[in-house]
Amino acid sequence: MRLEAKLALFNALSKVLLVLLGVALIPAIVSRVAVSHTDQRLHEKKREVLNLIRRDGLTAFVRQEQNEAYADYNILKQEYISLTPERGTRLPAPQEHIFNEQRQVDDEVEDFRILSYRFTANKRPYRLEIGSSLATVELLEDTLRRLALWVLVIGAAITVVTDAAFARFLLQPLGKLVSSKLRNVHHPSAFSFEPISTSTTDFRQLDDSLNEMMHQMQSAFEKEREFMSNVSHELLTPVSILQTRFENMLQDPELGHAHSLKLVESQKTLYRLRNTVKTLLLIANIENDQYLREESVSLAAVVADATNELEDRLAQRELHLRVQLKPDYVLPRANQTLLFTLIFNLLSNAIKYNRWGGSITVTGKMQANGAYCLTVADTGPGIAPENLPHLFDRFRRFHASGPASPEGFGLGLPIAQTIATFHAATLAATSEVGKGSTFTLEFQPQTTLAPSSKTVAQGRESS
């Protein structure tokens, strides 16, 4: 899961937890607020009544000589005020308390929130009661509860959207780093050193570190290429000189038979060394972009050329070759010499690592996305699963599985991988021990590659 999605999910879950917490706590808080608001209104009405008593006197409310009480209810019976003379001559100190109690109003019994206040006026004790119906309090609680929940839900939704938008904006530089500098960068030469526009220090440091690391890798690759090219050139000359000397020595009539056999073995060793050096030189030339891609090449024609050269080896091991390239695929910009080497190496391996009397199948198929897949399948002993990840590594030698396996893999597959990369194609291998191996070469849709500006390496070379 991407970092942006994780942040958005975390923000959404945190807001959901906040809403659930609000649902659990809001009723109690709202109830406390509603009761506090009602008590405040009761105190305000008490002060108003006491001000009226001070201004108009008690006679405006009660008749002292008849000890009559005063009571006033609103038309909806939601509030009431009562002023009642108390018996006794003992004058109490002012007392006030608030409680919930039922009161009978006409023929109905209602629950009220009541403020009771005892005070003294004209040397007589009185009790002032101001009540507010609890139905009104509950209505206020329900209104406040709904309002608070809606505000909480809407606020959480707004913060989820704004947090996601801000996280997306904040992580844009990281997305650019991944898409332009890390994804599909299979070689340092394809790396973009253009700095990412960002005001975040961490992303800037990450970008600088990536650029510095890729500069070092690119320099190391360039030195390796230069070393391989130079060494290959330097080795070819003494190898050719030694081969010429051995050939001259073999023509000497006085040379003994035992010495002749040793010279022949030495020539074979030099021949293998020469082929290895030429392969390394070819890889260096390809990676240094010393081949042009200006030819329109038919894969069917290249496969036909390679199979013609391998007819003797196929017959020698009694292998059956089937080629199914319908439709044919024409690369608009390619190098026919390198493609021949690529196909030749794949077919050569399929012959070399196959059982006696087996088969080789070459299949070409157009994919739904416009890509073209060329597969070379054999019926050999297969490749051990632990060796598949290292199949295209240079200088890595290991043995194929099964008793019929030859001495091992050399530089043929690494050079095939290099040529595939040169043509913006991918080369992959699958294998099942005891049943055979399949190499898949996939060319991207409408392959268009810029031609090289360097010198063309002439001639057909294979490993």
Side-chain angles (χ1 to χ4, degrees), residues 184-296:
N184 298 326
V185 178
H186 304 293
H187 198 273
S189 60
F191 187 80
S192 173
F193 291 96
E194 182 179 356
I196 298 297
S197 177
T198 177
S199 58
T200 305
T201 304
D202 296 335
F203 294 155
R204 169 57 56 198
Q205 293 177 349
L206 177 60
D207 186 27
D208 294 340
S209 299
L210 283 175
N211 289 340
E212 182 180 357
M213 179 184 67
M214 292 306 294
H215 272 301
Q216 295 176 356
M217 291 181 62
Q218 195 173 63
S219 176
F221 269 76
E222 292 295 334
K223 291 178 180 179
E224 179 187 350
R225 290 177 180 176
E226 184 179 357
F227 173 78
M228 287 178 58
S229 179
N230 294 337
V231 169
S232 300
H233 277 291
E234 294 297 328
L235 286 177
L236 280 178
T237 301
V239 167
S240 300
I241 294 174
L242 287 176
Q243 280 186 320
T244 303
R245 289 180 179 177
F246 286 159
E247 290 175 358
N248 293 333
M249 292 174 66
L250 286 173
Q251 294 176 1
D252 187 357
E254 297 181 359
L255 185 65
H257 179 69
H259 291 87
S260 298
L261 292 178
K262 292 182 179 180
L263 286 176
V264 170
E265 292 297 326
S266 299
Q267 276 193 317
K268 291 181 180 179
T269 303
L270 281 177
Y271 179 77
R272 288 195 296 269
L273 176 61
R274 181 175 179 272
N275 284 341
T276 301
V277 172
K278 290 178 66 178
T279 300
L280 293 175
L281 181 59
L282 179 60
I283 293 175
N285 289 337
I286 295 173
E287 291 183 340
N288 288 328
D289 205 15
Q290 293 181 346
Y291 283 84
L292 293 180
R293 292 179 291 257
E294 294 183 339
E295 300 173 277
S296 180

Side-chain angles (χ1 to χ4, degrees), residues 16 61 67 93 106 111 135 185 226 250 310 314 387 453:
V16 169
F61 297 92
N67 292 331
D106 294 335
D111 292 325
V185 178
E226 184 179 357
L250 286 173
L310 293 170
L314 288 168
N387 292 330
S453 60

Side-chain angles (χ1 to χ4, degrees), residues 29 57 61-62 75 85 103 130 136 168 180 182 185 208 275 293 304 318 400 425 448:
I29 297 174
F61 297 92
V62 297
I75 190 172
R103 288 285 190 272
I130 303 176
T136 304
R168 184 181 183 85
S180 64
L182 297 180
V185 178
D208 294 340
N275 284 341
R293 292 179 291 257
E318 298 181 1
T448 55

Side-chain angles (χ1 to χ4, degrees), residues 353-355 359 376-384 388 401 429-439:
Y353 301 99
N354 208 331
R355 60 180 173 84
S359 63
V376 178
D378 62 59
T379 56
I383 305 170
L388 279 175
S401 303
T430 57
S431 182
E432 187 174 352
V433 176
K435 293 186 177 181
S437 305
T438 300
F439 290 84

Side-chain angles (χ1 to χ4, degrees), residues 110-166:
E110 296 284 344
D111 292 325
F112 284 91
R113 180 76 172 171
I114 301 172
L115 182 148
S116 176
Y117 179 68
R118 298 180 64 190
F119 67 99
T120 302
N122 298 330
K123 297 182 179 180
R124 293 191 60 183
Y126 289 89
R127 180 186 296 273
L128 173 65
E129 285 189 355
I130 303 176
S132 179
S133 174
L134 288 180
T136 304
V137 177
E138 292 173 358
L139 180 62
L140 178 61
E141 288 182 11
D142 184 65
T143 302
L144 291 176
R145 189 181 301 115
R146 290 175 181 271
L147 179 62
L149 289 176
W150 274 110
V151 169
L152 183 62
V153 171
I154 294 175
I158 292 176
T159 54
V160 166
V161 174
T162 55
D163 288 350
F166 181 71

